[in-house]
């Protein structure tokens, strides 16, 4: 926690003031200067390099990213949803594994993050697979069927505000966006934590859960991911 406070609040604010740009802009600039255009693996690796060596950032990171990769490969989704785009790291990571014709809808509330992510996705060359939706998840989820022509979701990655995990999972159910076999994967369920989400999916007869212990991105802090398979 102390390390995060130092990285996220003190060091970042000082650096932002000195350089007159945000950390997210610095991450994008590093990618534009060092990664290979049109190569999503290069973009992911370059972000990891920056965030492990220069400035910590709240991407899923490579350790938990491998859990994400494995889950996406197992599900092989036609339609995927990501809640919390941030700089576009996981959108690029997920989309590079999608089969031809599949699509990822990614939702970001913060317009500054959305602008960075859009450039990151285009630089990685995955813009044909990814649609970035800007706004609060609780407003966008009910629009998915009519406005974005989603029947049901094969895969959902939850990586936004932790207090939205539980209500947005319930909202996905209420909007009939989950089918039997739909897979939810939630990041940061230990740090900073999503106890109400874990309590909900583990006690619900509609979900079968798997717990993946891991570490907080770019740190040796205990964290985990939770996979919840919708049983209908």
């Amino acid at each position: 926690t102390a390390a995060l406070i130092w990285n996220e609040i003190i060091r970042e604010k000082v650096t932002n003031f000195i350089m007159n740009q945000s950390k997210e802009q610095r991450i994008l600039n590093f990618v534009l200067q060092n990664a290979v255009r049109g190569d999503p693996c290069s973009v992911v690796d370059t972000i990891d390099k920056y965030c492990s060596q220069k400035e910590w950032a709240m991407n899923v990171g490579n350790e938990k990213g491998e859990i994400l990769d494995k889950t996406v490969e197992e599900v092989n989704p036609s339609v995927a949803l990501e809640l919390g785009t941030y700089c576009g790291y996981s959108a690029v990571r997920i989309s590079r594994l999608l089969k031809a014709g599949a699509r990822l809808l990614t939702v970001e509330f913060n317009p500054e993050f959305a602008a960075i992510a859009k450039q990151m996705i285009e630089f990685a060359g995955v813009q044909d697979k990814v649609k970035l939706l800007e706004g609060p998840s609780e407003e966008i989820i009910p629009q998915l069927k009519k406005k974005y022509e989603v029947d049901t979701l094969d895969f959902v990655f939850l990586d936004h505000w932790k207090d939205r995990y539980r209500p947005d999972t319930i909202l996905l159910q209420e909007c009939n966006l989950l089918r039997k076999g739909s897979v939810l994967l939630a990041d940061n369920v230990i740090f900073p934590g999503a106890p109400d989400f874990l309590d909900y999916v583990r006690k619900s007869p509609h979900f079968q859960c798997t717990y993946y212990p891991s570490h907080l991105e770019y740190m040796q802090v205990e964290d985990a991911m939770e996979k919840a398979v919708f049983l209908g």
Side-chain angles (χ1 to χ4, degrees), residues 7 24 39 60 71 78 95 131 146 165 181 183 202:
N7 279 301
E24 292 73 29
D39 183 343
V60 69
T71 307
S78 295
S95 61
K131 186 171 185 63
K146 286 191 176 179
Y165 281 20
V183 173
R202 289 175 179 178

Side-chain angles (χ1 to χ4, degrees), residues 142-177:
Q143 300 175 350
L144 289 176
K145 278 191 179 284
K146 286 191 176 179
K147 191 171 181 181
Y148 300 104
E149 299 177 339
V150 174
D151 181 18
T152 54
L153 297 160
D154 304 309
F155 175 71
V156 181
F157 183 46
L158 296 95
D159 196 18
H160 56 328
W161 295 107
K162 310 314 159 193
D163 60 359
R164 289 299 318 170
Y165 281 20
R166 182 180 183 273
D168 283 347
T169 297
I170 294 169
L171 192 55
L172 289 167
Q173 291 175 261
E174 290 174 346
C175 293
N176 296 313
L177 285 159

Side-chain angles (χ1 to χ4, degrees), residues 30-228:
F30 187 78
V31 168
L32 297 180
Q33 292 163 12
N34 295 279
V36 179
R37 179 182 285 277
D39 183 343
C41 292
S42 173
V43 169
V44 166
D45 290 345
T46 304
I47 297 173
D48 280 335
K49 181 179 179 181
Y50 186 89
C51 295
S52 59
Q53 296 179 5
K54 296 179 182 291
E55 289 186 273
W56 183 91
M58 56 181 181
N59 312 302
V60 69
N62 192 53
E63 185 184 354
K64 288 185 292 182
E66 290 180 3
I67 300 168
L68 174 61
D69 290 353
K70 187 181 177 197
T71 307
V72 172
E73 287 169 343
E74 286 173 356
V75 176
N76 193 23
S78 295
V79 184
L81 174 69
E82 176 186 39
L83 300 176
T85 315
Y86 187 43
C87 289
Y89 174 94
S90 48
V92 171
R93 187 159 194 137
I94 293 167
S95 61
R96 84 194 204 288
L97 300 173
L98 295 181
K99 59 192 173 187
R103 59 179 175 144
L104 168 68
L105 302 167
T106 181
V107 179
E108 178 52 55
F109 174 75
N110 184 317
E112 293 178 13
F113 294 168
I116 297 284
K118 187 172 184 291
Q119 294 178 74
M120 196 77 77
I121 288 162
E122 288 176 355
F123 184 83
V126 293
Q127 66 272 17
D128 292 345
K129 293 181 177 180
V130 182
K131 186 171 185 63
L132 198 155
L133 310 177
E134 197 176 319
S137 55
E138 62 268 32
E139 290 182 13
I140 289 175
I141 288 171
Q143 300 175 350
L144 289 176
K145 278 191 179 284
K146 286 191 176 179
K147 191 171 181 181
Y148 300 104
E149 299 177 339
V150 174
D151 181 18
T152 54
L153 297 160
D154 304 309
F155 175 71
V156 181
F157 183 46
L158 296 95
D159 196 18
H160 56 328
W161 295 107
K162 310 314 159 193
D163 60 359
R164 289 299 318 170
Y165 281 20
R166 182 180 183 273
D168 283 347
T169 297
I170 294 169
L171 192 55
L172 289 167
Q173 291 175 261
E174 290 174 346
C175 293
N176 296 313
L177 285 159
L178 303 180
R179 57 159 178 83
K180 185 178 181 180
S182 292
V183 173
L184 278 62
L185 184 68
D187 189 20
N188 303 122
V189 295
I190 297 299
F191 194 97
D196 59 338
F197 167 79
L198 290 181
D199 185 66
Y200 175 72
V201 292
R202 289 175 179 178
K203 289 180 178 177
S204 170
H206 299 291
F207 290 100
Q208 182 178 29
C209 296
T210 309
Y211 177 78
Y212 296 102
S214 188
H215 297 91
L216 184 68
E217 47 271 20
Y218 317 116
M219 287 190 180
Q220 290 304 307
V221 176
E222 183 186 347
D223 195 12
M225 302 178 96
E226 184 88 356
K227 181 170 80 171

Side-chain angles (χ1 to χ4, degrees), residues 14-25:
V14 171
T15 310
N16 289 355
F17 178 77
I18 292 169
M19 300 188 71
N20 194 31
Q21 63 176 191
S22 68
K23 174 177 67 179
E24 292 73 29
Q25 186 65 53

